[in-house]
Amino acid sequence: MKIFGLIAVLVVGALLLSATSDFPDWRDKDSPANKSPVSSFYIEKTEKLTKVPNMVTAVLADYRGYDTMFETVVIFIAGIGIIAVLRNFDGPYSSSIRRENNDEGSGLLARITCSLILPFIQIFALYVVAHGHHSPGGGFQGGVMLGASYILLALAFGLSKAKGYFSERRTMIFAAVGIFIYAGWGVLCLLFGKEFLNYSVLDSLLPGDVEMARSHSMLIVEIGVAFTVTAIMFSMYSNLSTRGRLNKGL
Amino acid sequence: MIWQFDIIILIFLVIAAIISLRLKDLLGASMVFGIYSFLICLLWAEMGAVDVAFTEAAVGAGVSTVIMIATVFSTKRRSKD
Amino acid sequence: MTEFSFIPLFTWIVSLLAVPMILLFRKRPDAREGVTFLAAFMKLGMIFMMLPLIREGKILHFKFGEILPGIPIEFRVDGLGMLFALVASSLWILTTLYSIGYMRGLKEHDQTRFFCCFAISLSATIGVAFAGNLLTLYIFYEILSLSTYPLVTHHGDKEARSGGRTYLSHLLGTSVAFVLPAMIYCYLKKGGDINFTDGSLLTTNIDAGAGLIVLLAFTFGFAKNGLMPFHSWLPNAMVAPTPVSALLHAVAVVKVGVFCVIRVFTGVFGIELLEKLDIAVVVSWIAAFTVITSSLMALSQDNLKRRLAFSTIGQLSYIILGVSLLSDFGVTGSILHVAMHAFGKITLFFCAGAIYVAMHKKYVSELVGIGRKMPITMTAFAIGSLSVIGLPVTGGLVSKWYLVMGTAQSEQIALLVVFLISSILNACYFLPIVYRAFFCRPEESLYEGGRQEAPLACLIPLCITALLSVISFFNPSLFIELAELIIK
Amino acid sequence: MTEHFPVLILLVPLFGALIVVLLGRERPDQCWVTSLISLGISSLISFFTVIAVLSGKVQELRYRMGGWPESEGYEIGIELRVDILAALVVFAVTLIGFVNTIYSKTRAEAEVQGKVPFFYALMQLLIVGLCGIVMTNDAFNLYVLIEITSLTSYALIAMGNRRAALSSFNYVIMGTIGASFYLIGVGYLYIKTGTLNIDDIHMVLGQKNSWADQSIIVAFIFIMLGVWTKMAFFPLHGWLPNAYAYAPSMTGTFMAPLMTKVMVYVMIRVMLWLFGYKFVYSGQYIWGELIIWMSVLAIVAGSLLALARTDIKKMLTYLIVAEVGYMVGGAWLGNVTGQAGAFYHILSDAAMTFCLFIAASIIVLRVGDSRVNAFDGLFRKMPLTMIGFTVGALSMIGLPPTCGFFSKWYLISGGIEAGQWEYVCALIFSSLVNAVIFFRIFERAYFGKISGVKEDHFPTDSDANPDIRIKEVPWSMLIPLFLASGTVLLLGIMNRSLFEWIQTALKMMNA
Amino acid sequence: MDPIVATFIEENIVPNFNYWIYVILMMIGLYAMITKNNLIKKLIGMAIFQTAIILFYVSVGVKDTAGIPIISHHGSEHHQMAGLSSEAGSTKEIHNKIDKDKYANPLPHVLMLTAIVVGVSTLGLALAISQKIYKSFGTLEEDEILNELRPGGHD
């Protein structure tokens, strides 16, 4: 087995290395990928068409928004997939919400530190979501940070306390609603008579002109992504850390 | 855009990857994998892919390490290889 | 010349329509058999309706649907198909009568299933007889194989199952393995149609090697013709009840095999092309080998039905041999032999079944002096064996005469010798039975009680078939006429 | 309205999945109804899409996501592209999903206790992913959708027993390797062409005439390896049999017919649309012959492995491996007949695999034994089920009225046209082996001793044995079975028109 | 560093170094996925494998002389001052003409965001499955699991 694996790996590596021979140089600004009309269109026209200086956000949420919707769906699938595989529901459904006497969680110092920094983490996460147009970040990164803040809460104060804020039912609703916001916004464009996710028709709905309509729609879409990612990150952690029993954390 | 950094980080990457795969203690392996993710996040920041770096910092070094450690805690810690 | 007509379709479908009725009357045997009779007579009636048209040289023709590009489901009634359909459907009536006597006499189980499968297989046989292109032929051929499987394995015990396994594996395997690719090859070669019009492959530039391979693929692929080395399903299928052996393995199934081969020779390749390529002689030598070998094997069989089976293999190879001579007399003779051998052989099977019903004897060695107990049966047996051997006052002589003429016409003296040797062998394995049945002293057990014939339902059909094979000697004109329609 | 059909096909099940999750665990019946409705609507829409594409007004539907126009001849955004082939496959996918939902009504309750909504959500998302794969015209979007289908199938399979979990883990490893290889291939294409739209990549490769570039060849090899891993082409089939055999029955019934077939479609798509006839079939690369031989190997090995199995579902899964060999070989024959035959076989094989899996699951459920001798005497006990099973089996063997015969016909004609006799022989061999396999089963079902019936001389005689009880399963399982077997026959009957549509569509690409 | 060496490296090593390392990382990950015995180790290998591919994609989009793909106005003004101060137009013009060599290619970044998400989703799901396996088999070593299945007839 090991030998077979080694041979296979070596063959694959040899193929790939042989292919690198006729690649354009690394950092070459005239490589086909870099001077192709597509990427130059993104770089040159983005700000004019969408008023979003962060091209990555623009491409992510507008030009290839269809991809990003499915990216969110992938996260969603992972979340409900983990529940479907691992979760074992014992007793009535509501029992997973009930508060236990939390002898869990970590020491006093950690709790105090967490209670001090958690607000800042969450505020920063919201900032990342909202400011993704102008700076690195966006719905996904912000969502992950928000979810991480809840994970931190669970680590410090025990899972049951965290579940008090973010029960399982609520995580599911949040996750579904996030995609609802995203896809629903696209369907709104459909209802206005243009293609799916064609934000430009919504300028009648949103303040500002067509470009601002695109920009605002991106913000809304990113918020949807943030909803889903936050919920799923937390439910991932809470299921994996308790073998799907959701009774007490690490 | 300094290629010296680039090369150094790449070399460290390979080392981190090998270590994390050779450690018999799965907890340690997960830790080293976190380091690996952090290194690669540095690499991307250095290559100008700030969004990717941000995401990797949040996901790779953050969440995926955490869930991996969670799994290690709830299963066995030592592995045979 | 060819005219459109619905009659072939009705002829094909009538026995199919009988099936639900039979299922409906499963609890009332008389009504059930009544339905079967009705269907059989209607079928025969329609065929007689078509007969005069065919004799005028018309070709009835019906097609519907185009299941593959350029290939419809197509019925096309010409002399050959007419003759075969005539024989099969007329003998179906007799067999139905006979099987009523047999099945009830032995209190067989699952008679409903038996009659259903019988009806389906008959309609499949008619479908083969009237098929207008290779695909239709193939489809009905497969349906026939599948629908006869329950009949062969009727008893459901271990022996029957193994027999059925051999049966299905041989027939299905060869047809899928050889016929299908050969058929597709012809389809591509001809550019999208495989109808039976004379010399249809003649238009294409096919060379001798490919032609030989395709010809052999067809000849072995239609393994129902019992050509060696794919013959062993036939003796194994003798585990079936005797009516099944009688109709299917003396008339329908095996004759379908040789019928397909005749179609391939006359319809797909065409005599001229075969003469041009000069490849048919290979087939004729394989057939000759089969004739001799099977006759020798038949000599050593003690089970009566197995002996009949081996003799069937030999007689079928007569037909293939005759058509592979490519001479007018040869082809006519082989087509005639389809009918004549049918009459003779079904008589023999009926007699074997009657003996089994009356005396529960199935081995040749037990038949010493049985002539005293069942004279009528054994007389019919004698006539049938005369016909199969090809001796006068039976129709067998006519067809064999034509076959011998064919060998002479195509200067194949060696094959002529084969015919003579095999006739002697046939005599060797039939006449002793008749002789010992009548002229030897039986053991005492056979003295008490007077004559002990099988029930009338069994007796009447075998008398009729024996009579038919005598009549067909004095008045074979109808068959000859139909057979010669193919030649010109 | 017509121009929005492609995206609606995707959106309806997507929203259906969300609603199902929101409904939650307390209302399994409403979950079932929701997914039934959503998949029904989606399959209706896809049916109308087929009509629209056939009606000739629009040869193919192109749908620009976000409505971004192309600049300098390059697509900026993501584009959907539905021609007749895609429309047919999408219709098959949605229809099978819909029918399988009917089947799952009773099974889902029984097999995934308390997780019904998640099952239905994952199932609908899997349908979304498959439809997206078929319709998208963007190489990277294809990757994302492949991952969606993979993740959903990992989860769906792992919902089964412990064996299912283990095989699902192997599936995760193999599937990730496959998808990542595909991603590598796309990356190599991107670094050479600078675009991700399939048509644009094809155009750029044609312009630069960079067919012979090392990296393009490597890209092709890796994309092929990835796709083959996902479709369980013979040497890479290791994950498939256990995964589909141990998955919950209602999962296996619709995953077995769909996943491999859709990946075969992706392979044909990549070969003809992305790289193009000139590159794939040009004589300068040896892979043509090689892959034909590999497919021969796949067919023979798959059939023999299936012959060696006594477990029904295992046997069927190995038959799938053999069928994949059929399609890969047919697609690589290099003539339109072969490609069209392979494509027609995608549809017919989906139908007959669906039929056989449903029948097998019903039998295993009712008899409680997954080995072949579960079939003893079933023609008497469950006649309706056996009728459905028989239709599927005859089609698998390739006997005339069913669609299996016609797909074999086209594939063999393609093989003869291309002069690839080894492929023809492999096809015939496998159909002979299938005949052996299935007639072995029929014999058992026909003569096998029925448990609980007094042993008389004729165990199969219903007249003599009045105490044989007919025990069929509820209609919610029989209706899907009959729909499937009816589809098998229908495809066989209307094969000609289907084949001509497919042929015309493919001729355009090969020109 | 010695300039000659530096130039040598810059000429010959740098242009393909990223690609080499990506291939090496990918081989490491693939080898671990295929041959490692522990399921968690397999998953770590899988994560490394995926990050290697991401590394490849990101390396494709890199340009020297290019910064992050975020348009920063004062940055471009700066460039205006420094470079072609001759036509110091209104900021509108400056917005209109954007030198695309100043910004990295954003497309690979977008694709890789998606790829990272897919990676973490796969990882989470696979971890869940491995926990289920541990729950029913009591171990995460592949050979032990197979040994336990052996009497059950594993093929």
Side-chain angles (χ1 to χ4, degrees), chain A residues 44-65:
Chain A
E44 287 161 356
K45 302 284 194 325
T46 298
E47 196 187 16
K48 196 143 107 279
L49 291 178
T50 66
K51 291 271 197 327
V52 174
N54 184 350
M55 307 164 196
V56 176
T57 311
V59 177
L60 189 78
D62 193 352
Y63 298 104
R64 298 186 70 89

Side-chain angles (χ1 to χ4, degrees), chain C residues 285-300:
Chain C
W285 278 110
I286 296 169
F289 170 77
T290 310
V291 168
I292 302 296
T293 323
S294 62
S295 310
L296 290 173
M297 283 175 154
L299 276 174
S300 65

Side-chain angles (χ1 to χ4, degrees), chain C residues 36-234:
Chain C
T36 317
F37 267 117
L38 190 64
F41 274 110
M42 285 171 68
K43 194 185 273 289
L44 189 60
M46 291 185 193
I47 287 170
F48 273 120
M49 214 188 303
M50 286 187 284
L51 185 53
L53 302 172
I54 302 299
R55 292 177 73 168
E56 294 165 18
K58 286 209 182 66
I59 287 179
L60 298 182
H61 181 273
F62 175 82
K63 69 166 66 176
F64 65 93
E66 195 167 335
I67 43 178
L68 279 169
I71 311 178
I73 288 282
E74 185 176 15
F75 289 131
R76 180 170 170 280
V77 189
D78 56 0
L80 177 57
M82 191 66 215
L83 181 137
F84 182 40
L86 190 58
V87 174
S89 56
S90 58
L91 290 182
W92 185 30
I93 299 173
L94 298 174
T95 318
T96 316
L97 180 60
Y98 181 82
S99 50
I100 290 168
Y102 183 89
M103 303 298 273
R104 294 192 181 176
L106 291 180
K107 298 186 178 44
E108 285 281 354
H109 61 98
D110 273 351
Q111 304 197 7
T112 312
R113 188 180 79 203
F114 177 84
F115 284 106
C116 284
C117 297
F118 226 108
I120 297 173
S121 53
L122 244 297
S123 71
T125 313
I126 297 297
V128 171
F130 289 169
N133 58 31
L134 258 178
L135 187 66
T136 320
L137 188 77
Y138 179 79
I139 290 173
F140 287 123
Y141 184 91
E142 297 289 14
I143 293 175
L144 185 59
S145 314
L146 292 179
S147 61
T148 43
Y149 174 74
L151 296 174
V152 173
T153 58
H154 184 76
H155 292 310
D157 51 8
K158 201 160 198 52
E159 185 192 3
R161 281 200 221 179
S162 66
R165 222 173 281 143
T166 329
Y167 184 79
L168 213 53
S169 57
H170 276 65
L171 297 188
L172 223 54
T174 47
S175 63
V176 171
F178 299 142
V179 177
L180 189 58
M183 179 164 59
I184 295 174
Y185 181 82
C186 295
Y187 178 72
L188 294 175
K189 197 78 177 161
K190 292 185 53 187
D193 75 304
I194 39 182
N195 305 331
F196 296 137
T197 52
D198 263 0
S200 45
L201 272 179
L202 189 57
T203 58
T204 67
N205 55 344
I206 185 169
D207 61 339
L212 181 60
I213 292 172
V214 174
L215 186 67
L216 287 181
F218 276 124
T219 320
F220 285 123
F222 291 117
K224 289 192 170 79
N225 59 22
L227 204 62
M228 287 184 180
F230 296 112
H231 66 287
S232 58
W233 63 270
L234 189 48

Side-chain angles (χ1 to χ4, degrees), chain A residues 42 59-74 182 196-197 225, chain D residues 65 77-79 136 138-146 148 196, chain E residues 107 110-115 117-118:
Chain A
Y42 290 151
V59 177
L60 189 78
D62 193 352
Y63 298 104
R64 298 186 70 89
Y66 181 65
D67 251 354
T68 313
M69 183 179 84
F70 281 119
E71 163 189 358
T72 323
V73 172
V74 166
Y182 200 131
F196 184 65
L197 293 174
V225 175
Chain D
M65 285 297 162
I78 296 173
E79 184 189 39
T136 186
D138 184 281
F140 186 81
N141 185 243
L142 187 56
Y143 164 75
V144 177
L145 290 156
I146 287 178
I148 284 186
L196 289 169
Chain E
L107 186 52
V110 177
L111 305 183
M112 286 314 106
L113 282 180
T114 313
V117 175
V118 168

Side-chain angles (χ1 to χ4, degrees), chain A residues 16 18-19 22 32 36-37 42 62 64 66-67 70 74 84 87 89 93 169 180 190 195-196 198 214, chain D residues 4 10 15 22 25-26 63-64 66 68 72 74 76-77 115 138 140-141 148 151 188 192 194 214-215:
Chain A
L16 292 176
S18 75
D22 67 353
S36 81
Y42 290 151
D62 193 352
R64 298 186 70 89
Y66 181 65
D67 251 354
F70 281 119
V74 166
R87 185 88 168 87
F89 300 98
Y93 178 63
R169 187 94 184 98
F180 253 123
L190 214 59
E195 291 87 348
F196 184 65
N198 186 350
R214 290 188 181 281
Chain D
H4 290 304
L10 295 172
F15 281 109
L22 285 180
R25 300 172 47 231
E26 290 83 354
Y63 192 83
R64 291 207 175 103
W68 285 105
E72 308 173 31
Y74 287 79
I76 297 303
K115 294 176 183 175
D138 184 281
F140 186 81
N141 185 243
I148 284 186
L151 281 169
Y188 280 27
K192 278 299 196 184
Q214 180 70 14
S215 52

